[in-house]
Amino acid sequence: QVHLVESGGGLVQAGDSLRLSCTASGLASGPYTEGWFRQAPGKGREFVSGIQGITHSTVYSDSVKGRFTISRDNANNTLYLQMNRLRPEDTAVYYCAVRTYGGYVSASTSDYNAWGQGTQVTVSS
């Protein structure tokens, strides 16, 4: 059974940085497509960024492009999201997700079949 655990969230001020981590266990050998999503209070879960397991190509939502960077440490089976120049509108619960059957980076939650429990990111103005 796939188990994903996010960490690194917290309360920061606008303009600060945070790095989220997502450690996976129970995954058979890859490659996988992985992504970060977020959900603000009262809103749906939205795509933030993703990385394709074979090509390592990355995709970002327009709202975070140029500020966030997704990366992966294969040796430690960990996915990262470096978030710089944070804004109050980035406040949300952030989730990592895995598309264990690979494929392209999708912005649709239904294309990912394993999810972490989420980590809260709060950005004050």
Side-chain angles (χ1 to χ4, degrees):
Q1 184 174 354
V2 178
H3 189 53
L4 305 176
V5 178
E6 301 98 334
S7 61
L11 172 62
V12 297
Q13 293 188 329
D16 286 351
S17 298
L18 278 176
R19 189 177 78 158
L20 305 184
S21 300
C22 174
T23 302
S25 61
L27 281 170
S29 58
Y32 307 103
T33 294
E34 299 170 284
W36 287 97
F37 289 75
R38 66 186 182 186
Q39 188 165 15
K43 295 187 177 181
R45 196 167 295 190
E46 67 168 350
F47 174 80
V48 175
S49 181
I51 184 166
Q52 210 283 332
I54 297 176
T55 65
H56 303 283
S57 62
T58 57
V59 179
Y60 298 92
S61 67
D62 288 344
S63 61
V64 307
K65 197 173 296 182
R67 299 187 298 123
F68 291 11
T69 303
I70 190 172
S71 62
R72 195 180 197 290
D73 180 347
N74 289 325
N76 294 312
N77 217 17
T78 301
L79 181 72
Y80 298 102
L81 185 69
Q82 177 66 42
M83 306 186 295
N84 297 329
R85 304 197 306 278
L86 283 160
R87 304 167 180 168
E89 55 264 40
D90 294 319
T91 295
V93 177
Y94 283 71
Y95 299 89
C96 65
V98 176
R99 196 174 181 184
T100 59
Y101 47 90
Y104 60 90
V105 174
S106 171
S108 174
T109 57
S110 61
D111 286 330
Y112 295 82
N113 56 328
W115 291 84
Q117 83 291 344
T119 185
Q120 176 72 47
V121 172
T122 303
V123 185
S124 63
S125 56

